[in-house]
Every structure is written in C-alpha cells, then in structure tokens.
Amino acid sequence: MNAPLSSSLFAWLLTYLIHSTVLLGIAWLVTRQFRLEPAASDLLWKVALLAGLVTGTIQSRLELRTPAAMTLPSAAVPRVAPVNVPSPATPAPEPSTGAIGEVRRSATTTSARLPSLALVVVLLWSVVALASSLFYVARRLILVGRLADRRPVPDGPLAATLAELQRTSGFGRRVQLTMARTISSPVALGLSEICVPELALSELGAEQQRSMLAHELAHLARRDSLWLASASIIERVFFFQPLNGVARKQLETTAEYLSDEWAMRKTGSGGAVSLAK
C-alpha cells in the first residue's frame, strides 16, 4: 500500500469517526430524552448508522476544509513620497545556511513520519476489521449448517395459513416455507424464506401457528434480516466506533416490536413463538 493511498484512507477513517460520533450521538440522546414511537426510533437509528458513511465519503471526496482565516479587503493607503535621508548602507543579514538545512531536515522527517503512521493505522484497521468480519461470517455459516437439514413443508394447514396471510397482508413475493429439527424458534431467512421448527407442526395450535407465521412474514416484509446483517458488518468493520453496537442492538429491539405491530395491523395476528424447553 503506497503512502498517498494510506494517507487518504486514514483521513477518511478519521472523517467517518467524527461524523458517525455526531450522528449516532444525536440519535442516542434523542432516544434517551424523548419517548419516540418504535417506528421513529428505528428510522432514526438507521439514518444515523448509514449517514456517517455517506457524509464522511462525500467530504473526503470533495476535500472540504474549513478555512483557517478570512481575508478582508485592505483599505487604500495614501502614498507618501519617500524622503531621501543620507545614511550609511546597512547590509541585510544573510540567513544561516546551517539553520535553513536544519529546518528542511526537520520538515522532511515530519512529512516522512506522517505517512508511516497513517500506513500503520490503516494496516492495523484492515487486519482487525477483516478478522472480525470473518468471525461474523463463520458464525452465520454455523447457523446455515444447523439449517442444512431443512426441507419444504408439505402442502397442508401450515402452508395454507401462510398463503392466507400473504393474501390478507398484500405480501406479493413468493415465500418458501421450510422446517428443521435443529431449531426451537422460527426464523426469517433472507427475503423470501421462513423456516419453522419441526415441532411447530404438531405442538402448536392453529392460532399459535398463525401468529408465528405472521410475525416472521413481517420480518420478511420489513427486510429485517438484511438490515441487521448490514448493521453487524458495519459494527465489525468500524470496530473503533462503539456507538455502532448500540445502533445494532436498538435495531434488533425495534425490529421485534415493529414486526408484531405489522402482523397485527395486516393480519390480525402476531407474536414471536419459541418451542425451547
């Protein structure tokens, strides 16, 4: 990685840190001081989470800088004819060659040290961000591995209930309904799959099954899995910003409330269901 690139990345990271701290800090203060509706809180945290990336990138690309001083037009000064006064010529002192060389060496050393510091910081950030992201991906792959045995739910009451909920709510995308033995709670996968525990077919009543499916359908409609995955990646890539973790936890909380609200409003049923014992 060359010096200009590392310096640019270092400047961008600093800009992001400042912008994200201000935006996420405002979101934190507002949600603590005021009792916002879950929808308003959810939108505020999403905007604050992403806006720091956008505004930081824009400022870095446009190289916006605050001027250190403002130049004012100078007033016209009347010219005065010079008066010739005989005086012995005083030679101007010659600058010391040694002093100039010392200043140049000091400036060169400082400029060489700054890119080195930027390079070290950028490399350290890259290594930690990559390791943390890979750890998150590994955890997701473990979850996928637990669901490797899932299979489509055969046509029957559960599939019919899901189809009826889609018609009632106006959910237009095709939803794949699967079941697995290795989970105790239903889960919405991606944008178009609901995986339910196998025991849900035998141990839950019709109304509980309807509530379970309505809640997970709400997660699909709100695209919660994508939002939470994005928040988790941002939290790990920009690990030096602890407020990203606060935002991710707040989004997880509001996702559950809003999914219940969506399910109740659209279908008349809702509520997370777990078969854990």
Side-chain angles (χ1 to χ4, degrees):
M1 185 181 294
N2 54 24
L5 179 58
S6 62
S7 298
S8 299
L9 282 174
F10 181 67
W12 180 77
L13 289 173
L14 285 179
T15 304
Y16 164 76
L17 178 61
I18 295 171
H19 286 218
S20 62
T21 299
V22 172
L23 294 167
L24 291 168
I26 291 174
W28 181 80
L29 287 174
V30 169
T31 53
R32 282 183 64 88
Q33 293 296 324
F34 305 98
R35 290 187 176 182
L36 299 181
E37 293 294 327
S41 177
D42 184 72
L43 178 61
L44 180 61
W45 281 111
K46 286 177 179 177
V47 171
L49 187 66
L50 298 179
L53 291 169
V54 176
T55 58
T57 302
I58 291 175
Q59 179 171 343
S60 298
R61 292 294 298 271
L62 298 180
E63 296 183 355
L64 299 178
R65 293 185 178 88
T66 304
M70 184 168 57
T71 304
L72 297 176
S74 58
V77 179
R79 299 181 62 183
V80 180
V83 179
N84 294 326
V85 179
S87 60
T90 304
E94 296 183 359
S96 171
T97 306
I100 294 177
E102 185 65 26
V103 171
R104 288 178 178 174
R105 284 194 297 271
S106 176
T108 302
T109 302
T110 303
S111 62
R113 188 179 303 160
L114 287 177
S116 300
L117 175 62
L119 180 61
V120 170
V121 171
V122 169
L123 288 177
L124 181 62
W125 164 72
S126 302
V127 171
V128 177
L130 179 61
S132 182
S133 300
L134 290 177
F135 179 73
Y136 171 75
V137 171
R139 290 180 58 189
R140 298 296 297 180
L141 290 176
I142 292 174
L143 174 61
V144 172
R146 291 180 58 193
L147 298 174
D149 68 332
R150 71 185 188 277
R151 57 194 183 278
V153 175
D155 292 337
L158 197 64
T161 300
L162 178 59
E164 186 268 329
L165 288 172
Q166 288 185 254
R167 288 193 300 270
T168 303
S169 63
F171 189 89
R173 296 195 305 271
R174 181 178 180 275
V175 178
Q176 182 182 8
L177 183 61
T178 58
M179 60 180 176
R181 294 190 304 269
T182 53
I183 58 175
S184 58
S185 299
V187 58
L189 301 174
L191 297 176
S192 59
E193 182 180 352
I194 296 176
C195 186
V196 300
E198 189 175 277
L199 293 177
L201 279 71
S202 58
E203 296 195 3
L204 295 181
E207 189 57 35
Q208 288 178 309
Q209 291 178 352
R210 179 183 171 85
S211 297
M212 172 187 68
L213 292 176
H215 183 84
E216 299 308 319
L217 189 64
H219 281 307
L220 293 182
R222 288 175 29 82
R223 295 176 170 84
D224 285 331
S225 60
L226 293 185
W227 275 108
L228 294 179
S230 300
S232 297
I233 290 295
I234 291 174
E235 178 186 4
R236 283 158 176 79
V237 172
F238 303 102
F239 56 88
F240 51 85
Q241 175 53 272
L243 290 176
N244 284 333
V246 177
R248 192 255 311 159
K249 292 177 182 177
Q250 291 296 322
L251 291 179
E252 288 177 349
T253 301
T254 55
E256 295 303 320
Y257 282 115
L258 293 174
S259 292
D260 279 342
E261 180 183 336
W262 186 95
M264 288 295 298
R265 186 177 70 253
K266 296 286 187 176
T267 69
S269 299
V273 177
S274 174
L275 296 177
K277 296 181 178 180

